[in-house]
Amino acid sequence: MRPAAAPPSAGEALSRHAWGDAFAILSESDRHQPLAPDDLERFALAAHMIGKDPESDDLLTRAHHAWLSGGDVPRAVRCAFWLGVNLVVSGQSARSAGWLARGRRLLHAQQQSRVEAGYLLALEGLQRYLAGDAADAKAASEEALTFATRFRDHDLQTFAMVTVGESLIRLGEAGEGIRLLDESMIAVTAGEVSPIVSGLAYCAVIAACHEIFDLRRAREWTAELSRWCAAQQEQVPPYRGVCLAHRVEIMRMQGDWADAVDEANLACQWLGSLPVVRSADAAYYQLAELHRLRGEYSEAEQAYRKASGFGHTAQPGLALLLLAAGDTGAAERAIRTALDGARDQGSRCRILPAFVEVMLAAGSIEVARTAAMELAAVAERLHAPLLIAISEHLTGAVLLAAGEARSAQAALGHAVATFRDLDAPYDAARARLLIGLACRETGDEVTARLEIEAAKSLFRELGAAPDLLRAEELALEATTRTASLLTARELEVLRHVAVGKSNRAVADDLFLSEKTVARHISKIFIKLGVTSRSAATAYAHQHKLV
């Protein structure tokens, strides 16, 4: 039976990226009469874009054999390339290596240089990168780039350039790596590459930004990814794999906690349902972090267990959950184990902030200081604003615990400024709370109250219940201290002002001159940190001073 041609409606659906429609149309055609190999490739693309990876691989395999039967070796090799990519990305490295070997054997019989040889080099580069061999990955991908340039192939150029960029970051050349990744994304955003290469590039770039703590760049490319996904009809959630977890993490850092929980649940559901489960551990971990920050400790524990079941260490979040539950000893043991097991720089940087927090809670100030210094050194080397802000926050916390309140204020002030610039409200609020405590230590009760109140407002807005409770306790303590700063006569004047009396009326009631009353009110404003009678009145009623 001769292969059938796809109906025109399939081409129309593909052109408008209606992947679900295209899949249904091609599926129906294929049931009546087997499709031609080029249409099988389009069928595989539609299946891939709606998350039907096993079906996509089966269709690519059929297309591969159909091209071979027709004597078109290069097209058969191109199918082998895509099969190898799909398999290695899903963790099936042995099968991916098999398709690479087959592709090379088939091309070996060809007498002329073809662009498909570059595609196979690009596949080798990806395989080596995912296996942890960044140097060889870079070499293979750079060789693939020569083929891309020679044959003017945008897909191959973007694919290989992304792997070179990722490899450079792993090799410690983050600046050059990011430059290449940004350049590779120009072809993506200009619509010069195929949908699958676009999706892979977006995820690779966002993951690379995550690896070097480049929050601003990660946020920008995540927004671009969202716009790209919006143009893909009936596509699976953006785009696939760990990209979903990184998206949730960015939303969490921006303070979009309610939406982040919805996205995290969606990611957990979809990633956990795949035939070959991948990245579900990262999605469940981000869900657990959101629950922990909101004070939903039972839900957090369940999500951490799920993450662990899928292969995540559940640290450092689980140690912080133990600390929140009051089990400092268990938290200390857990975070020490996690840090001992973190071999690479990125892993250590993600555990060190929690390590410092737990060590300070355990009273091990010098251990915490050493850990904070390690993170500060990495932050300076990477020039990553987020990491710098985190290290300054930790440095401030250590200095405060060591009794060096004024030095702590300076470090924490820098952290707050950077967190604000990065639009990270929760982290900024935590740093402001520590500034409030540092000001209290130096006797500046007015500024302490202002900082604590500001942090409390941010925590309430975010839904950070445990932090809000802590801030409210500190605010109550600050109120008591502030009230104690007022003299008996100042309290008396405040009570009269709070019921709406004018300076003249207060002077008459207390047998004082109007000038003396005005002087008392000025001092009250300074001590309470307010600038108007109405604000002083509100403060007095709110804190039961009247």
Side-chain angles (χ1 to χ4, degrees):
M1 182 182 296
R2 295 183 61 186
S9 55
E12 187 273 332
L14 289 167
S15 66
R16 57 186 173 88
H17 295 174
W19 307 113
D21 290 348
F23 181 86
I25 294 167
L26 291 167
S27 180
E28 182 66 22
S29 292
D30 194 46
R31 270 196 296 270
H32 286 88
Q33 187 175 348
L35 293 170
D38 53 347
D39 286 324
L40 285 173
E41 289 186 14
R42 297 187 185 97
F43 194 2
L45 169 62
H48 177 84
M49 295 301 290
I50 60 174
K52 295 181 178 293
D53 289 349
E55 291 90 335
S56 178
D57 290 348
D58 288 344
L59 290 164
L60 281 172
T61 303
R62 283 178 56 192
H64 169 80
H65 290 298
W67 288 123
L68 281 182
S69 297
D72 195 333
V73 171
R75 293 294 293 269
V77 170
R78 194 72 70 98
C79 291
F81 163 79
W82 285 117
L83 281 162
V85 170
N86 293 345
L87 290 166
V88 75
V89 167
S90 66
Q92 301 177 71
S93 55
R95 290 180 63 195
S96 176
W99 279 107
L100 175 60
R102 172 177 281 197
R104 282 182 167 159
R105 178 178 57 79
L106 290 171
L107 273 188
H108 183 69
Q110 302 290 301
Q111 297 300 311
Q112 60 189 51
S113 178
R114 294 185 176 276
V115 70
E116 283 73 23
Y119 273 91
L120 295 180
L121 282 165
L123 174 56
E124 179 188 353
L126 179 61
Q127 289 174 346
R128 291 186 179 277
Y129 175 78
L130 294 177
D133 189 350
D136 284 351
K138 175 175 173 287
S141 298
E142 286 179 334
E143 193 176 348
L145 278 174
T146 63
F147 281 85
T149 302
R150 178 181 173 187
F151 290 96
R152 299 180 182 180
D153 191 303
H154 290 303
D155 267 9
L156 178 56
Q157 182 178 43
T158 301
F159 191 102
M161 191 179 289
V162 166
T163 305
V164 173
E166 291 178 302
S167 300
L168 284 168
I169 290 173
R170 289 280 174 87
L171 292 170
E173 300 178 52
E176 180 62 17
I178 281 294
R179 186 193 68 76
L180 272 180
L181 290 173
D182 284 346
E183 182 184 349
S184 71
M185 294 305 294
I186 296 302
V188 174
T189 55
E192 297 171 359
V193 298
S194 65
I196 296 180
V197 172
S198 296
L200 290 171
Y202 273 120
C203 280
V205 169
I206 292 169
C209 294
H210 179 268
E211 186 169 334
I212 60 172
F213 299 90
D214 194 337
L215 177 62
R216 189 178 286 109
R217 186 175 263 100
R219 182 181 295 148
E220 183 178 340
W221 287 124
T222 298
E224 286 294 329
L225 171 62
S226 296
R227 282 190 282 273
W228 179 77
C229 288
Q232 316 300 314
Q233 298 181 39
E234 301 174 77
Q235 186 203 10
V236 296
Y239 167 72
R240 60 213 313 106
V242 75
C243 222
L244 294 167
H246 292 332
R247 174 183 167 88
V248 172
E249 184 176 17
I250 290 169
M251 294 175 70
R252 171 173 63 79
M253 295 199 70
Q254 286 182 293
D256 301 330
W257 288 7
D259 289 341
V261 168
D262 292 339
E263 289 286 330
N265 278 312
L266 179 63
C268 291
Q269 180 182 359
W270 185 72
L271 293 170
S273 69
L274 294 176
V276 179
V277 176
R278 60 180 183 272
S279 304
D281 60 329
Y284 272 107
Y285 181 79
Q286 289 303 324
L287 179 61
E289 288 286 89
L290 287 160
H291 284 312
R292 177 179 64 81
L293 294 174
R294 301 201 319 178
E296 299 156 352
Y297 293 150
S298 176
E299 293 88 341
E301 183 179 0
Q302 292 176 18
Y304 283 131
R305 289 184 182 278
K306 282 278 193 179
S308 179
F310 282 117
H312 202 286
T313 65
Q315 297 294 359
L318 188 56
L320 293 175
L321 183 63
L322 291 167
L323 185 64
D327 197 341
T328 305
E332 182 177 357
R333 290 188 293 273
I335 202 66
R336 284 185 181 275
T337 299
L339 189 60
D340 289 344
R343 300 303 180 189
D344 62 272
Q345 177 180 282
S347 298
R348 289 186 68 83
C349 287
R350 285 178 174 78
I351 293 171
L352 282 168
F355 183 85
V356 172
E357 186 172 344
V358 173
M359 290 303 111
L360 290 178
S364 302
I365 296 176
E366 291 310 310
V367 175
R369 191 192 301 272
T370 300
M373 290 172 63
E374 178 185 344
L375 189 68
V378 176
E380 184 177 357
R381 188 162 61 249
L382 289 179
H383 303 292
L386 175 62
L387 210 56
I388 291 170
I390 292 171
S391 71
E392 288 175 331
H393 183 178
L394 297 180
T395 298
V398 170
L399 290 169
L400 181 59
E404 303 172 55
R406 291 200 182 279
S407 298
Q409 287 179 39
L412 291 165
H414 292 150
V416 170
T418 307
F419 282 136
R420 282 174 171 167
D421 186 50
L422 293 171
D423 190 22
Y426 175 70
D427 296 281
R430 292 189 73 213
R432 293 195 73 173
L433 194 63
L434 289 183
I435 290 176
L437 293 177
C439 290
R440 178 173 292 171
E441 289 297 317
T442 61
D444 184 2
E445 196 64 44
V446 172
T447 304
R449 186 183 66 79
L450 291 174
E451 292 295 324
I452 292 169
E453 287 291 337
K456 188 171 72 170
S457 177
L458 282 168
F459 290 141
R460 183 181 294 111
E461 184 179 339
L462 289 167
D467 293 283
L468 177 60
L469 180 61
R470 172 64 175 152
E472 286 175 339
E473 291 172 349
L474 294 173
L476 181 61
E477 185 179 339
T479 298
T480 304
R481 289 179 178 231
T482 302
S484 70
L485 293 176
L486 298 179
T487 65
R489 177 62 84 184
E490 287 166 351
L491 277 172
E492 199 171 14
V493 169
L494 177 61
R495 287 169 183 144
H496 280 71
V497 169
V499 294
K501 293 185 178 180
S502 66
N503 285 13
R504 178 72 265 170
V506 175
D508 291 342
D509 287 349
L510 299 180
F511 303 102
L512 299 171
S513 70
E514 237 182 299
K515 185 176 181 180
T516 300
V517 170
R519 188 169 63 250
H520 283 313
I521 290 175
S522 178
K523 290 181 179 179
I524 289 167
F525 284 4
I526 293 172
K527 290 180 179 181
L528 297 185
V530 298
T531 57
S532 67
R533 297 172 77 90
S534 59
T537 298
Y539 183 95
H541 284 288
Q542 182 181 354
H543 296 92
K544 298 180 172 58
L545 297 180
V546 295

